[in-house]
Amino acid sequence: MKKIILPGCILFLAMSGLALARVSGLFPTAIGPEPLTATYQQINAVFTGDWQQYGQLFTNLQQFLFPRLFLLVITIVPVIFFLHYIAIGPMVFDHGGKQVYCYNLFVRVVHWCAALSFSLLVLTGLLILFASLFAGGAIGIMARSVHLFSALTFTGSAFLLLLVWIKDMLPALYDIKWMIIMGGYLTKEKKPVPAGKFNAGQKMWFWLATLGGAVMAVTGYFLYSFSGNIDTLRLSAIIHSFLGAAMLAMFLIHVYMSMAAIKGALGSMISGYKAESELKILHPEFKY
Amino acid sequence: MGRMKFLCDIERCIDCSGCVVACKEGNHIPVGVNRRRVITIGQGKPGEKSISVSCMHCADAPCIAVCPVDCIYQRDDGIVLHDKEACIGCGYCFMACPFGAPQFPSGQVFGARGAMDKCTFCAGGPEETFSAKEVRLYGQNRIAEGKVPLCAGMCATKSLLAGDADEVADVYRERVFKRGSGANAWGWNKAYKKE
């Protein structure tokens, strides 16, 4: 029995010593053709990085979701508006009577700068996403340049609008009520809707365009300049596309509301005046 | 038709970067663009390994999937090529690629990127084969000449193999067998085999 115990103890000590030395890295790793798997793992860490995390996500989203999402937005939203226009029709107000000065010249100029640059952003953005329809090349390159300059213009004008309108755009309690009745756009009757100088829909559009616009500017900067590592770029592209689709939808809503759904809304942003009769219905809480 | 492939034998690659230079010089690649690069791990330590990498000419390539211009395409022999004149430089292929293969020359107007440039397996592009335009935009078309790509052709240690996948695999399999390990390793018989 003794003959087994002593060598057994020695063997055990030797084995545990070896194991310890191996764990603590005292031994050099084997040289030669043996540790291929470990080597390829190290190479892949440098070569492909963590592609499965964001690279795969970006690839799948860009391949299957983004073009369809944007296509859906630019088709479904106008169709809904068309149906709304036929079924419920626009809001028509008597624009005679007392006029209220709502937008001063500075605000109007900045608004139209933002409007023009945002329209260009939408057009060129869609042009880039669907560039294959135009065979790419010069048109796509021009679209990217216009997108850049429109973005710069829009960032400046959106920042000014943020400063000018931030007080009127702060959320209020009656905004919830406005959201519940959808701003009264689903009925034909003209009852006063709960809204201040700007209603909840305008506030949503405002915050999406300013805060969302800031996110778009930052992600867009990464995408245009390729600064930051590859995962930053992939995340930027994903955020830029999702947020872009949301802003595009809100932009289309804004255009429909101002151009068609409320007669004379376009004129108020040109002249700066709104009729008091209209304000009593659409913006009753507005103290002018 | 066969399937074209690169294979870099990491037991042979010595990080001489000759493949990078040959590709850049032979195809007149713009400054700041590398179609091929060498990755070294554990530099200066025992077990240091190097591998020469470029476009892997994937089956179901992510770059083809995301390109908004559809200017990247795959030939029947597996080589992934692209149309530089349709490329708008959006960079989506770079973000989708796991290997960082698509590269963009800088210095265009407004700091924009130029058209994407990547390894063509020395197979040119969509232009007419051997035309001056093809050479200017994409570099040499050595596949049409019946030669292997420049990088593989000049590799001094013959670690970088290129060509038909089956033949490349055969060469590599034979090497692994000859090189072997354990009882099959070089010198084993001399050291241990008793006559």
Side-chain angles (χ1 to χ4, degrees):
Chain A
M1 198 60 188
K2 266 186 181 173
K3 274 183 182 171
I4 305 172
I5 292 171
L6 190 66
C9 283
I10 293 169
L11 192 66
F12 176 75
L13 283 174
M15 294 287 271
S16 44
L18 277 173
L20 266 177
R22 195 170 176 81
V23 170
S24 60
L26 280 175
F27 289 150
T29 45
I31 304 166
E34 314 289 354
L36 265 184
T37 314
T39 306
Y40 275 119
Q41 277 169 353
Q42 286 180 50
I43 287 172
N44 278 350
V46 183
F47 187 24
T48 63
D50 209 353
W51 181 80
Q52 275 81 0
Q53 198 181 3
Y54 295 120
Q56 195 172 26
L57 179 70
F58 167 74
T59 306
N60 286 336
L61 287 176
Q62 174 62 30
Q63 183 179 9
F64 298 113
L65 185 68
F66 291 147
R68 285 165 206 188
L69 181 67
F70 278 86
L71 197 64
L72 206 68
V73 170
I74 57 172
T75 50
I76 291 290
V77 176
V79 165
I80 291 173
F81 289 155
F82 183 69
L83 294 177
H84 174 263
Y85 198 83
I86 294 173
I88 294 161
M91 288 194 176
V92 185
F93 293 99
D94 176 23
H95 285 95
K98 198 185 161 205
Q99 299 289 312
V100 181
Y101 193 50
C102 290
Y103 309 118
N104 64 34
L105 182 66
F106 173 72
V107 167
R108 277 177 280 152
V109 169
V110 175
H111 171 270
W112 286 113
C113 279
L116 179 72
S117 53
F118 198 89
S119 309
L120 284 174
L121 279 173
V122 166
L123 283 176
T124 52
L126 289 173
L127 207 59
I128 293 166
L129 189 62
F130 297 108
S132 56
L133 298 177
F134 308 93
I139 294 177
I141 292 165
M142 183 212 64
R144 290 186 65 228
S145 302
V146 175
H147 204 75
L148 171 72
F149 283 100
S150 309
L152 293 175
T153 316
F154 182 73
T155 309
S157 9
F159 182 69
L160 288 175
L161 288 181
L162 177 75
L163 294 182
V164 173
W165 278 340
I166 188 162
K167 216 177 103 235
D168 300 314
M169 289 292 187
L170 290 175
L173 263 181
Y174 48 71
D175 288 339
I176 301 170
K177 276 192 236 160
W178 189 95
M179 299 285 274
I180 291 168
I181 61 165
M182 293 290 281
Y185 287 105
L186 299 183
T187 59
K188 283 186 183 183
E189 55 182 318
K190 280 194 214 162
K191 261 191 346 200
V193 293
K197 181 171 182 179
F198 297 106
N199 61 39
Q202 287 173 304
K203 285 177 187 177
M204 272 164 57
W205 169 227
F206 174 80
W207 289 112
L208 191 65
T210 49
L211 298 187
V215 175
M216 289 298 269
V218 172
T219 51
Y221 167 76
F222 284 136
L223 291 178
Y224 194 86
S225 67
F226 260 20
S227 47
N229 66 24
I230 180 85
D231 279 336
T232 313
L233 297 180
R234 286 164 179 163
L235 264 182
S236 295
I238 293 168
I239 296 170
H240 204 82
S241 299
F242 272 124
L243 202 56
M247 287 177 81
L248 172 61
M250 282 305 268
F251 171 75
L252 291 175
I253 293 172
H254 186 63
V255 169
Y256 172 67
M257 291 296 164
S258 57
M259 297 269 187
I262 309 164
K263 292 288 175 202
L266 187 61
S268 72
M269 193 39 93
I270 295 169
S271 66
Y273 285 97
K274 278 189 175 185
E276 196 175 26
S277 54
E278 183 189 331
L279 286 175
K280 282 224 158 59
I281 301 288
L282 290 182
H283 303 277
E285 311 278 339
F286 178 31
K287 310 281 181 290
Y288 41 86
Chain B
M1 187 180 266
R3 170 71 163 84
M4 293 298 177
K5 265 184 188 168
F6 280 123
L7 192 150
C8 185
D9 186 347
I10 60 169
E11 302 297 339
R12 283 186 174 222
C13 180
I14 56 167
D15 188 18
C16 72
S17 291
C19 46
V20 180
V21 176
C23 172
K24 221 169 151 63
E25 192 59 32
N27 291 321
H28 299 290
I29 313 293
V31 176
V33 173
N34 280 329
R35 288 182 178 179
R36 180 167 279 287
R37 67 200 159 102
V38 178
I39 294 173
T40 302
I41 56 156
Q43 190 146 26
K45 298 196 187 88
E48 172 186 320
K49 290 279 189 299
S50 294
I51 186 168
S52 170
V53 295
S54 71
C55 173
M56 302 293 275
H57 300 276
C58 312
D60 191 12
C63 54
I64 299 177
V66 299
C67 180
V69 207
D70 295 338
C71 77
I72 313 176
Y73 61 98
Q74 190 154 30
R75 297 191 345 178
D76 289 341
D77 57 3
I79 299 176
V80 175
L81 295 178
H82 67 293
D83 184 351
K84 273 193 181 184
E85 289 189 320
C87 175
I88 61 173
C90 68
Y92 280 6
C93 48
F94 176 70
M95 294 172 218
C97 180
F99 313 113
Q103 306 268 308
F104 293 88
S106 53
Q108 304 286 311
V109 279
F110 311 133
R113 291 182 290 275
M116 185 266 273
D117 189 285
K118 74 165 194 69
C119 163
T120 63
F121 212 87
C122 282
E127 305 301 332
E128 193 193 331
T129 303
F130 301 137
S131 64
K133 195 175 178 188
E134 187 191 54
V135 173
R136 179 168 55 81
L137 288 176
Y138 307 100
Q140 303 182 20
N141 193 342
R142 290 169 58 91
I143 295 297
E145 291 171 357
K147 300 171 181 167
V148 294
L150 263 173
C151 50
M154 67 66 55
C155 181
T157 59
K158 293 288 164 273
S159 66
L160 186 60
L161 306 172
D164 185 85
D166 291 341
E167 288 183 30
V168 167
D170 279 347
V171 172
Y172 187 63
R173 191 184 304 116
E174 204 170 311
R175 270 188 200 177
V176 170
F177 181 75
K178 272 192 184 157
R179 195 152 59 205
S181 62
N184 205 23
W186 182 86
W188 179 278
N189 288 351
K190 249 198 178 80
Y192 300 112
K193 201 172 185 183
K194 301 278 186 303
E195 288 302 325

